[in-house]
């Protein structure tokens, strides 16, 4: 009898595997752990989109909880999330943009057309800052605390629900 | 015959298209660096695409990563340094071969455990079978066996 039961072992193994694989099916395959959370915002030195003569570095992000949004004129989802970013700015969140792989002209046109929630925009035409941030497609958004440490990373489009459900609570948490 | 030639020509054209693909031409001073470049770009997964190595992907980020690998190789960085450089930015996700650490012990360990279990199972089965065949015949069975053998001989 005992040996008979042993014959069910492969079936049990199969069922366990099936359940495991089934549960994994419902997960979002594009989800990634960010490598940058809890690390300092990478060092950089760049001009701003607004003023080619103004040089800024990572210290512009310290002193206050700041939301850093990586965007480009060429990126459709960036246009769609602009109303949410303007909303966040209205709620008193300090916003800084990284104009990623763009030209000054197109970047400025974009802000004129879709609104400008940003205190300033860091100009990153070659995508070097983006690379150090591990950005693999815009838009991406980083929450940086007052000490310049990245606390939260949002990949892709920010929906109106994301603003109230995840972004604002995170901002409050690190204030 | 003419048709065959056409077919071959079309086939070759198709092949040429795929060979042109994503990857740019790079020059290396020595074959070792070239080999390292190829191995490194084949061992990293494109962060944007679900399952493509960066040497096989048209995504802009893959191009940037190939460029960075190339630059770091030119700077004389070691393979480990280059891999760390990438993981720092894009996370463990990009490694096709996850590193051996706390959270990957299970991943690397399970195949080894399964092979050991398999070996144990085979040993166990062979032993069980050997014991079974080694039990000697009872007198009754012996007598019946002799009878059968004798019948075979006499016929």
């Amino acid at each position: 009898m005992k040996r008979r039961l042993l014959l069910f072992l492969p079936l049990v193994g199969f069922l366990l595997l099936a359940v495991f694989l089934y549960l994994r099916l419902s997960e979002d395959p594009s989800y990634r752990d960010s490598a940058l959370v809890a690390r300092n915002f990478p060092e950089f030195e760049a001009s701003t989109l607004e003023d080619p003569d103004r040089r800024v570095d990572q210290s512009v992000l310290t002193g206050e909880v700041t939301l850093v949004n990586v965007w480009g004129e060429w990126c459709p989802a960036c246009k769609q999330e602009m109303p949410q970013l303007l909303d966040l700015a209205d709620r008193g969140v300090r916003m800084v943009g990284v104009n990623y792989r763009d030209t000054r002209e197109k970047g400025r046109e974009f802000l004129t057309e879709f609104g400008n929630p940003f205190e300033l925009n860091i100009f990153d035409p070659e995508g070097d800052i983006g690379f150090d941030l591990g950005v693999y497609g815009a838009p991406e958004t980083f929450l940086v605390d007052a000490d310049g440490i990245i606390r939260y990373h949002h990949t892709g489009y920010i929906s109106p629900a994301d603003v109230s459900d995840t972004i604002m609570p995170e901002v409050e948490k690190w204030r | 015959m003419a048709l065959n030639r056409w077919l071959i020509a079309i086939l070759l054209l198709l092949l040429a298209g795929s060979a042109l693909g994503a990857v740019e031409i790079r020059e290396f001073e020595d074959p070792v660096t070239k080999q390292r470049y190829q191995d490194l770009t084949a061992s990293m997964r494109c962060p944007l695409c679900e399952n493509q190595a960066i040497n096989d992907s048209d995504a802009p980020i893959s191009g940037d990563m190939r460029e960075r690998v190339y630059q770091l190789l030119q700077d004389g960085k070691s393979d480990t340094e280059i891999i760390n450089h990438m993981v720092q930015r894009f996370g463990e996700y990009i490694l096709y071969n996850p590193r051996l650490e706390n959270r990957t012990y299970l991943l690397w360990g399970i195949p080894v455990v399964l092979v050991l279990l398999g070996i144990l199972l085979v040993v166990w089965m062979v032993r069980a079978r050997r014991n079974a065949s080694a039990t000697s015949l009872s007198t009754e069975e012996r007598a019946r066996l002799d009878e059968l053998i004798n019948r075979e001989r006499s016929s």
Side-chain angles (χ1 to χ4, degrees):
Chain A
M1 194 56 208
K2 224 174 167 188
R3 300 194 61 152
R4 272 274 163 92
L5 283 177
L6 275 180
L7 293 176
F8 284 97
L9 261 181
L11 182 68
V12 172
F14 166 77
L15 286 176
L16 281 177
L17 192 68
V19 167
F20 174 73
L21 293 178
Y22 180 77
L23 290 178
R24 301 287 294 188
L25 262 188
S26 57
E27 281 179 12
D28 177 9
S30 64
Y31 176 80
R32 317 256 184 283
D33 284 336
S34 174
L36 279 113
V37 169
R39 297 233 313 261
N40 278 319
F41 196 92
E43 291 176 13
F44 67 91
E45 218 250 308
S47 64
T48 64
L49 177 65
E50 293 79 7
D51 180 2
D53 296 327
R54 183 180 168 198
R55 306 296 293 179
V56 288
D57 62 18
Q58 63 279 4
S59 66
V60 293
L61 301 172
T62 52
E64 189 185 340
V65 171
T66 306
L67 210 53
V68 179
N69 179 258
V70 182
W71 63 277
E73 183 273 337
W74 45 268
C75 143
C78 300
K79 294 168 190 167
Q80 288 161 13
E81 74 173 10
M82 252 337 174
Q84 285 77 270
L85 299 186
L86 289 163
D87 179 28
L88 279 162
D90 281 346
R91 294 183 194 219
V93 182
R94 183 181 182 232
M95 308 283 294
V96 168
V98 175
N99 184 225
Y100 176 63
R101 291 181 162 280
D102 219 343
T103 62
R104 264 183 221 282
E105 198 183 326
K106 284 190 169 170
R108 284 174 184 167
E109 271 172 32
F110 177 95
L111 293 178
T112 320
E113 190 177 346
F114 296 96
N116 187 356
F118 304 116
E119 187 181 304
L120 74 150
N121 282 281
I122 300 155
F123 188 52
D124 184 27
E126 304 295 329
D128 290 333
I129 301 171
F131 195 90
D132 285 344
L133 279 167
V135 168
Y136 52 84
E140 289 193 29
T141 307
F142 298 84
L143 184 72
V144 183
D145 73 8
D147 299 324
I149 299 167
I150 295 175
R151 291 303 181 182
Y152 173 73
H153 179 187
H154 187 100
T155 314
Y157 170 70
I158 294 175
S159 69
D162 290 333
V163 172
S164 44
D165 296 348
T166 49
I167 310 277
M168 279 316 288
E170 286 289 338
V171 171
E172 295 301 335
K173 187 170 151 193
W174 297 104
R175 258 186 181 155
Chain B
M1 197 59 208
L3 187 71
N4 267 347
R5 267 190 204 163
W6 274 108
L7 275 177
I8 288 169
I10 290 171
L11 213 74
L12 284 176
L13 276 175
L14 287 174
L15 282 174
S18 67
L20 278 174
V23 181
E24 52 286 295
I25 294 157
R26 298 205 189 278
E27 287 187 12
F28 293 92
E29 282 161 23
D30 58 310
V32 179
T33 317
K34 186 178 172 187
Q35 188 60 43
R36 285 173 61 206
Y37 174 78
Q38 284 167 350
D39 292 346
L40 281 166
T41 52
S43 74
M44 289 180 203
R45 179 186 284 139
C46 156
L48 184 62
C49 343
E50 247 45 330
N51 204 353
Q52 244 182 333
I54 60 170
N55 70 352
D56 183 35
S57 153
D58 273 328
I61 188 63
S62 297
D64 289 356
M65 287 169 76
R66 288 194 296 270
E67 176 66 28
R68 187 62 66 97
V69 170
Y70 181 72
Q71 287 304 330
L72 292 173
L73 281 172
Q74 300 298 314
D75 294 348
K77 296 278 191 285
S78 73
D79 286 6
T80 321
E81 283 173 316
I82 295 174
I83 289 170
N84 286 342
H85 183 93
M86 293 298 180
V87 169
Q88 252 176 31
R89 286 159 179 77
F90 299 98
E92 297 273 329
Y93 172 84
I94 60 159
L95 298 179
Y96 270 120
N97 278 327
R99 295 191 273 214
L100 192 60
E101 54 185 48
N102 277 341
R103 60 175 191 164
T104 57
Y105 280 147
L106 205 61
L107 182 71
W108 285 107
I110 281 179
V112 178
V113 171
L114 284 181
V115 166
L116 289 178
L117 275 180
I119 292 173
L120 276 178
L121 194 73
V122 168
V123 167
W124 176 70
M125 280 167 68
V126 167
R127 278 201 176 165
R129 196 166 294 175
R130 192 179 292 158
N131 287 343
S133 60
T135 48
S136 51
L137 299 174
S138 66
T139 32
E140 232 170 274
E141 286 168 329
R142 172 68 58 192
R144 194 166 139 67
L145 181 65
D146 286 343
E147 191 194 310
L148 285 171
I149 291 171
N150 286 336
R151 194 197 295 163
E152 192 68 22
R153 280 194 185 142
S154 57
S155 67

